């Protein structure tokens, strides 16, 4: 059954425009951590198709600037934002999270979801986020960190064969953030939630019961293998998924 484009909602697009582990439910739980006030300026680094940016803007009545290195994602994100008539709240630009095109102390908060696994210069990435944040602003992220056993199995959703994957242990992520200047760092383990999410998708796929819209559309024929490896990596201690929040000092 098709859905007319006129009157489409953020929630109806959610199955396809939250391209990270566990999709839309993870974004909602991630947002529960954040304290965003109406009218504040928030930055989404690695915003993809803009689903989280539009959700944050709607939920908190804030303004979100998104940036992504993949130009087709940016084009699609802006089209979807226009379709939802949210251009006044959400702006998506093409750019690199390690060279943010924004002035110092611009934003009241920033976040990034499942992006840093593909960032080689993590210190530079965090330094740029720190630079564009106002004093007292939050910085939050979710990622698959490197587990104590290491040697992740591939393919996984963020890499076909390990190329472009730069996983580090949560303790190292904390250390880099502290060195950058961030404080009040709180880390939550999300491994169990991720495994449950992956197993549900695998079960549906094996039953031929995947919905018409979903993240499987982006993963191609190896989607089930990617999900299986991602779950096994967590269970075997090869990866360690977390979400994290910290602050720039006042």
């Amino acid at each position: 059954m098709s859905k007319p484009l006129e009157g489409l909602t953020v929630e109806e697009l959610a199955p396809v425009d939250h391209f990270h582990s566990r999709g839309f439910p993870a974004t909602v739980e991630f947002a529960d951590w954040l304290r965003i006030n109406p009218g504040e300026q928030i930055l989404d680094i690695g915003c993809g198709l803009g689903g989280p940016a539009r959700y944050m803007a709607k939920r908190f009545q804030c303004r979100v600037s998104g940036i992504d290195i993949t130009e087709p994602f940016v084009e699609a994100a802006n089209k979807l934002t226009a379709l939802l008539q949210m251009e006044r709240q959400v702006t998506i630009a093409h750019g690199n999270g390690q060279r943010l095109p924004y002035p110092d102390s611009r934003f009241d908060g920033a976040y990034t979801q499942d992006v840093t696994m593909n960032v080689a210069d993590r210190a530079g990435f965090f330094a740029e986020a720190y630079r564009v944040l106002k004093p007292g602003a939050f910085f939050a992220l979710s990622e698959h960190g490197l587990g104590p056993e290491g040697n992740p199995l591939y393919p996984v959703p963020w890499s076909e064969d390990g190329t472009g994957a730069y996983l580090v242990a949560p303790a190292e992520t904390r250390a880099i953030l502290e060195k950058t200047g961030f404080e009040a760092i709180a880390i939550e383990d999300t491994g169990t939630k991720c495994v449950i999410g992956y197993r549900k998708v695998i079960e549906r796929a094996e039953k031929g019961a995947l919905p018409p819209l979903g993240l499987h559309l982006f993963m191609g024929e190896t989607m089930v293998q990617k999900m299986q490896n991602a779950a096994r990596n967590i269970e075997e201690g090869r990866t360690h998924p977390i979400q994290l929040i910290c602050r720039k000092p006042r």
Side-chain angles (χ1 to χ4, degrees):
M1 182 176 177
S2 62
K3 170 72 180 178
L5 295 180
E6 184 178 353
L8 200 63
T9 68
V10 166
E11 290 76 17
E12 287 166 339
L13 273 178
V16 75
D17 64 357
H18 292 252
F19 192 32
H20 48 260
S21 300
R22 298 194 299 124
F24 185 49
T27 298
V28 174
E29 292 177 14
F30 192 62
D32 290 342
W33 260 32
L34 310 180
R35 296 294 179 264
I36 301 175
N37 298 311
E40 287 188 331
Q41 298 275 352
I42 307 299
L43 176 62
D44 182 334
I45 308 173
C47 63
L49 297 175
R54 289 185 290 270
Y55 173 77
M56 300 292 181
K58 179 183 175 185
R59 173 170 171 174
F60 297 111
Q61 291 303 298
C62 61
R63 299 188 66 181
V64 182
S65 296
I67 188 166
D68 200 276
I69 200 168
T70 305
E71 196 162 7
F73 281 2
V74 173
E75 293 174 359
N78 280 318
K79 289 179 180 177
L80 292 172
T81 299
L83 186 65
L84 294 175
Q85 300 181 345
M86 294 186 68
E87 301 101 314
R88 292 186 178 182
Q89 286 182 274
V90 178
T91 304
I92 309 294
H94 180 234
N96 191 329
Q98 296 173 82
R99 295 185 297 275
L100 294 172
Y102 308 108
D104 296 355
S105 304
R106 163 80 178 273
F107 296 99
D108 299 289
Y111 64 88
T112 184
Q113 291 178 275
D114 286 14
V115 171
T116 44
M117 295 101 73
N118 299 114
V119 174
D121 183 9
R122 188 169 295 233
F125 185 93
F126 291 162
E128 273 293 270
Y130 188 93
R131 178 184 66 79
V132 301
L133 288 172
K134 297 176 182 178
F138 74 81
F139 177 60
L141 69 84
S142 65
E143 68 173 5
H144 286 247
L146 188 66
E149 299 301 320
N151 299 312
L153 303 171
Y154 294 98
V156 289
W158 60 89
S159 178
E160 291 289 338
D161 58 6
T163 302
Y166 304 98
L167 276 61
V168 304
E172 184 176 349
T173 295
R174 176 191 287 274
I176 297 171
L177 286 166
E178 289 175 342
K179 187 175 181 180
T180 303
F182 286 106
E183 62 182 17
I185 301 169
I187 299 177
E188 178 181 304
D189 186 314
T190 57
T192 299
K193 292 178 181 178
C194 287
V195 170
I196 291 171
Y198 287 135
R199 294 298 182 200
K200 285 181 179 178
V201 175
I202 293 167
E203 183 179 357
R204 289 173 187 162
E206 291 175 343
K207 292 180 178 178
L210 290 172
L213 289 179
L215 299 183
H216 54 280
L217 298 176
F218 295 95
M219 296 190 200
E221 296 179 356
T222 59
M223 185 273 290
V224 171
Q225 185 183 5
K226 289 174 180 175
M227 294 288 187
Q228 289 172 332
N229 284 342
R232 183 178 167 188
N233 282 336
I234 298 166
E235 292 169 332
E236 296 181 359
R238 298 170 184 267
T239 60
H240 184 176
I242 60 168
Q243 64 181 22
L244 174 157
I245 191 167
C246 55
R247 290 198 173 271
K248 181 175 181 176
R250 293 189 181 278

